[in-house]
């Protein structure tokens, strides 16, 4: 099944990927023109279930295996990611997790790694919706499940997102106050499907517009490797970090060289599992999550209120970047503080809406969110024609945003899918909310990162870079 987001696919306008026309794929063997042996039999035979090589002497048949490549191998070409049926993502699967865990058991104590899991709120909401749990119940049950597998810590990722939100606020204000206004609109950077599409399809033209702030997953990787290595008294490569995410594209993000520590030869996120794959793990082990008890989840890197319940942020279920940057800028630069809901204007569809700040009859800020590949195209085209009037655009590859990611829980019918999505959204929005700048834990973590940055000898642990991927082949004449 094709699982990556539509923004990764440049040859069709749907929301799940199929092989790109630019992808370097094996040439299909024509059954009628297959090579023949001296005895007249085909050296390669094609059956419904695959390809078979025939021994010339005995006539015996050997089924040919699919070629296996890593995510980095795939990203090395100039096309897009091939479909999940043809690319075996061996480095990002439950089988790989089980293999690493099994190997770890055989290691001496001085070499063992510590397994840490981080769960995104969108994934948590999707799983809670499917099994009819509250968010806290679901987190407690998943914590039990992961600790039974061998994980020592289980976190949510809202604390990491608090850091991303603050940094994006500050980055936007710097751009807004800069005398050079060529970098508007500022485009969000949390969606890896959008980033991969931008790097491969529009390259250096679009990259200056994209925020350099790391996504919550990437920030969480930095936090886990730094804080947990200190807690357990080991070097970062002995912390194995798995995240649970709402989309398969996050596997690509985790594989980026930008999120690899050369000193320790360690990735910030070692493995990404989607919400859907968690369901598969439960089924494989014949575990009914409803019968699993709750375990207190780790508080070191989780965002919790005074009662120990999970805390999230206002705004969209894709992270609320637009709302946080809009409100902070309105207050910081124009003295306009409002706790009332923002008044959005819907444009082409519900996934393309805008909001403005008017001061004395003059429009000072104009923001928008654009979800889904069609709306992303619209924004990119406006930028190319220099007709984009927005200061900031929250971009997500999937229609309805992250709660509707390709790795979220599935339903049998369209009606059930709609109901599941609505419940997922309600659970997500029902979480307690906290302003990142009011969070004492967030302030403490920022100080920790500053100290760790000095040790790691990096300019910043919360920002990253993007890179144009040059095309090596010419595909069909595709117009944008």
């Amino acid at each position: 099944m094709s699982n990556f987001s539509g923004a990764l696919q440049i040859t069709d306008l749907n929301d799940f990927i199929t092989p790109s026309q630019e992808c370097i794929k094996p040439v299909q063997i024509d059954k009628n023109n297959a090579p023949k042996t001296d005895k007249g039999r085909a050296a390669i035979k094609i059956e419904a279930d695959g390809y078979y090589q025939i021994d010339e002497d005995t006539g015996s048949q050997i089924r040919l295996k699919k070629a296996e490549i890593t995510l980095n191998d795939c990203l090395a070409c100039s096309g897009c990611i091939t479909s999940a049926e043809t690319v075996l993502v061996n480095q990002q699967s439950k089988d790989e997790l089980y293999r690493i865990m099994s190997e770890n058991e055989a290691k001496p104590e001085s070499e063992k790694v510590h397994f840490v899991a981080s769960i995104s709120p969108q994934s948590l909401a999707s799983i809670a919706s499917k099994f009819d749990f509250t968010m806290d119940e679901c987190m407690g049950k998943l914590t039990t499940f992961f600790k039974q597998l061998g994980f020592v810590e289980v976190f949510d990722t809202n604390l990491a997102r608090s850091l991303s939100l603050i940094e994006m606020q500050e980055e936007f204000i710097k751009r807004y106050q800069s005398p050079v206004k060529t970098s508007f609109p500022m485009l969000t950077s949390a969606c890896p499907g959008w980033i991969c599409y931008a790097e491969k399809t529009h390259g250096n033209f679009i990259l200056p517009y994209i925020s350099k702030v790391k996504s919550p997953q990437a920030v969480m990787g930095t936090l886990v490797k730094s804080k947990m290595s200190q807690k357990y008294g080991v070097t970062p490569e002995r912390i194995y970090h798995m995240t649970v995410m709402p989309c398969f594209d996050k596997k690509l993000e985790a594989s980026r060289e930008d999120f690899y520590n050369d000193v320790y030869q360690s990735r910030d996120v070692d493995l990404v599992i989607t919400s859907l794959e968690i369901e598969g793990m439960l089924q494989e082990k014949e575990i009914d999550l409803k019968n699993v008890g709750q375990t207190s989840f780790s508080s070191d890197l989780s965002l919790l209120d005074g009662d120990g319940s999970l805390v999230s942020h206002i705004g969209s279920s894709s992270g609320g970047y637009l709302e946080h940057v809009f409100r902070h800028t309105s207050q910081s630069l124009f003295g306009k503080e409002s706790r009332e809901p923002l008044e959005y204007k819907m444009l082409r569809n519900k996934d393309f809406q805008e909001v403005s700040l008017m001061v004395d009859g003059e429009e000072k800020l104009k923001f928008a969110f654009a979800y889904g590949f069609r709306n992303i195209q619209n924004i990119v085209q406006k930028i190319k024609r220099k007709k984009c009037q927005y200061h900031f655009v929250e971009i997500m590859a999937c229609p309805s945003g992250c709660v509707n990611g390709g790795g979220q829980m599935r339903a049998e019918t369209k009606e059930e899918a709609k109901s599941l999505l609505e419940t997922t959204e309600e659970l997500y929005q029902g979480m307690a909310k906290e302003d990142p700048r009011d969070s004492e834990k967030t302030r403490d973590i920022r100080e920790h990162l500053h100290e760790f940055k000095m040790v790691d000898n990096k300019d910043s642990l919360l920002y990253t870079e993007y890179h144009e991927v040059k095309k090596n082949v010419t595909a069909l004449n595709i117009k944008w």
Side-chain angles (χ1 to χ4, degrees):
M1 178 176 289
S2 300
N3 290 312
F4 291 94
S5 73
L8 286 178
Q9 178 187 354
I10 66 172
T11 57
D12 193 8
L13 298 183
N14 62 36
D15 295 301
F16 297 102
I17 193 169
T18 56
S20 167
Q21 290 172 344
E22 292 194 3
C23 220
I24 301 170
K25 327 190 264 278
V27 177
Q28 183 177 0
I29 300 174
D30 186 343
K31 185 175 182 179
N32 297 322
N33 296 308
K36 301 290 194 299
T37 67
D38 293 338
K39 299 178 182 179
R41 291 193 296 267
I44 300 292
K45 185 169 72 172
I46 306 171
E47 299 290 353
D49 62 342
Y51 296 94
Y52 289 82
Q53 180 176 333
I54 301 176
D55 184 274
E56 293 185 14
D57 298 320
T58 64
S60 61
Q61 301 180 14
I62 301 175
R63 185 178 179 182
L64 299 178
K65 295 182 178 179
K66 291 182 180 179
E68 297 182 3
I69 64 175
T70 68
L71 287 172
N72 285 330
D73 294 330
C74 194
L75 289 171
C77 89
S78 64
C80 291
I81 305 303
T82 56
S83 67
E85 299 110 294
T86 55
V87 178
L88 305 179
V89 193
N90 283 337
Q91 288 184 326
Q92 301 284 344
S93 67
K94 59 180 176 58
D95 292 334
E96 175 69 3
L97 172 65
Y98 295 150
R99 183 186 70 79
I100 295 294
M101 285 187 150
S102 177
E103 289 181 354
N104 193 56
E105 286 296 320
K107 291 180 179 179
E109 201 63 34
S110 60
E111 297 178 10
K112 286 184 184 294
V113 300
H114 303 271
F115 293 88
V116 177
S118 302
I119 308 174
S120 73
Q122 294 90 353
S123 290
L124 191 63
S126 181
I127 298 170
S129 176
K130 186 67 178 285
F131 291 102
D132 194 25
F133 297 139
T134 67
M135 294 289 275
D136 288 335
E137 285 175 341
C138 190
M139 187 71 179
K141 288 175 178 290
L142 288 176
T143 298
T144 300
F145 172 62
F146 286 136
K147 290 200 169 183
Q148 287 175 347
L149 287 179
F151 284 81
V152 294
E153 306 277 358
V154 181
F155 304 109
D156 80 312
T157 62
N158 279 313
L159 179 59
R161 189 169 66 197
S162 286
L163 296 170
S164 292
L165 289 170
I166 291 175
E167 296 304 323
M168 199 166 290
Q169 291 169 357
E170 297 190 353
E171 183 185 10
F172 177 80
I173 286 181
K174 287 180 182 177
R175 291 198 191 196
Y176 193 89
Q177 294 179 322
S178 171
V180 181
K181 302 296 184 182
T182 56
S183 56
F184 282 134
M186 180 168 140
L187 310 174
T188 55
S189 53
C191 174
W194 148 243
I195 294 298
C196 188
Y197 162 75
E199 289 180 322
K200 292 187 174 186
T201 308
H202 300 289
N204 287 333
F205 156 70
I206 201 70
L207 298 187
Y209 295 94
I210 302 175
S211 166
K212 293 181 180 293
V213 177
K214 285 182 179 181
S215 73
Q217 173 176 268
V219 171
M220 196 67 191
T222 300
L223 291 179
V224 165
K225 293 287 180 165
S226 61
K227 289 288 284 185
M228 293 301 103
S229 61
Q230 288 182 353
K231 180 174 181 176
Y232 287 94
V234 297
T235 48
E237 76 273 12
R238 287 182 58 196
I239 300 295
Y240 189 90
H241 183 208
M242 182 192 81
T243 63
V244 181
M245 289 287 144
C247 75
F248 288 83
D249 298 353
K250 284 293 181 181
K251 297 173 186 281
L252 307 181
E253 179 181 284
S255 75
R256 291 175 70 91
E257 290 304 313
D258 305 87
F259 305 138
Y260 181 81
N261 189 309
D262 291 319
V263 176
Y264 298 109
Q265 296 187 334
S266 170
R267 293 200 177 279
D268 293 342
V269 176
D270 297 285
L271 182 79
V272 179
I273 294 292
T274 63
S275 319
L276 189 62
E277 289 172 296
I278 292 296
E279 183 180 36
M281 292 170 68
L282 291 167
Q283 292 174 347
E284 186 178 81
K285 293 183 176 297
E286 298 182 342
I287 294 175
D288 184 349
L289 205 57
K290 292 184 178 181
N291 297 328
V292 173
Q294 298 183 52
T295 300
S296 297
F297 35 92
S298 308
S299 61
D300 303 57
L301 298 177
S302 290
L303 200 58
L304 309 174
D305 63 15
D307 296 327
S309 295
L310 295 169
V311 173
S312 187
H313 309 94
I314 61 171
S316 71
S317 53
S318 295
Y321 295 95
L322 181 157
E323 187 137 350
H324 281 81
V325 175
F326 187 90
R327 289 182 182 276
H328 181 71
T329 306
S330 298
Q331 180 181 0
S332 298
L333 299 186
F334 304 104
K336 298 291 184 180
E337 181 179 8
S338 174
R339 299 194 179 277
E340 297 297 320
L342 298 184
E343 295 183 6
Y344 288 92
K345 176 184 176 183
M346 188 169 72
L347 302 176
R348 293 169 175 244
N349 49 66
K350 67 180 180 63
D351 283 326
F352 193 0
Q353 301 187 38
E354 63 181 32
V355 62
S356 300
L357 174 69
M358 304 297 294
V359 179
D360 298 328
E362 182 181 356
E363 187 177 69
K364 294 295 186 179
L365 297 175
K366 191 171 186 178
F367 284 26
F369 64 80
Y371 299 165
F373 192 47
R374 295 176 187 273
N375 292 325
I376 291 175
Q377 274 193 298
N378 187 294
I379 292 294
V380 172
Q381 284 301 321
K382 284 179 180 291
I383 295 174
K384 280 189 172 183
R385 296 195 297 265
K386 301 186 183 303
K387 292 184 177 181
C388 188
Q389 303 301 313
Y390 300 119
H391 294 98
F392 183 96
V393 184
E394 181 178 296
I395 289 185
M396 300 292 159
C398 294
S400 298
C402 295
V403 291
N404 191 39
Q408 295 284 66
M409 305 295 271
R410 305 280 171 81
E412 296 295 327
T413 66
K414 288 184 177 180
E415 291 75 17
E416 291 175 349
K418 181 181 179 181
S419 176
L420 185 65
L421 178 58
E422 290 175 349
T423 305
T424 301
E425 178 77 27
E426 289 172 1
L427 284 167
Y428 178 95
Q429 295 295 351
M431 299 174 70
K433 303 295 192 294
E434 181 178 62
D435 188 317
R437 292 182 178 274
D438 293 338
S439 170
E440 183 178 351
K441 178 176 283 188
T442 301
R443 288 194 295 271
D444 291 342
I445 288 295
R446 290 187 84 196
E447 291 179 7
H448 159 76
L449 285 179
H450 179 73
E451 295 171 1
F452 191 74
K453 178 183 68 175
M454 299 300 102
V455 175
D456 213 33
N457 195 29
K458 288 188 176 182
D459 293 332
S460 175
L461 295 176
L462 296 174
Y463 291 79
T464 187
E465 295 291 337
Y466 311 108
H467 320 280
E468 178 182 19
V469 178
K470 294 187 180 296
K471 298 183 183 300
N472 298 320
V473 293
T474 301
L476 300 180
N477 186 24
I478 301 168
K479 302 290 185 181
W480 298 103

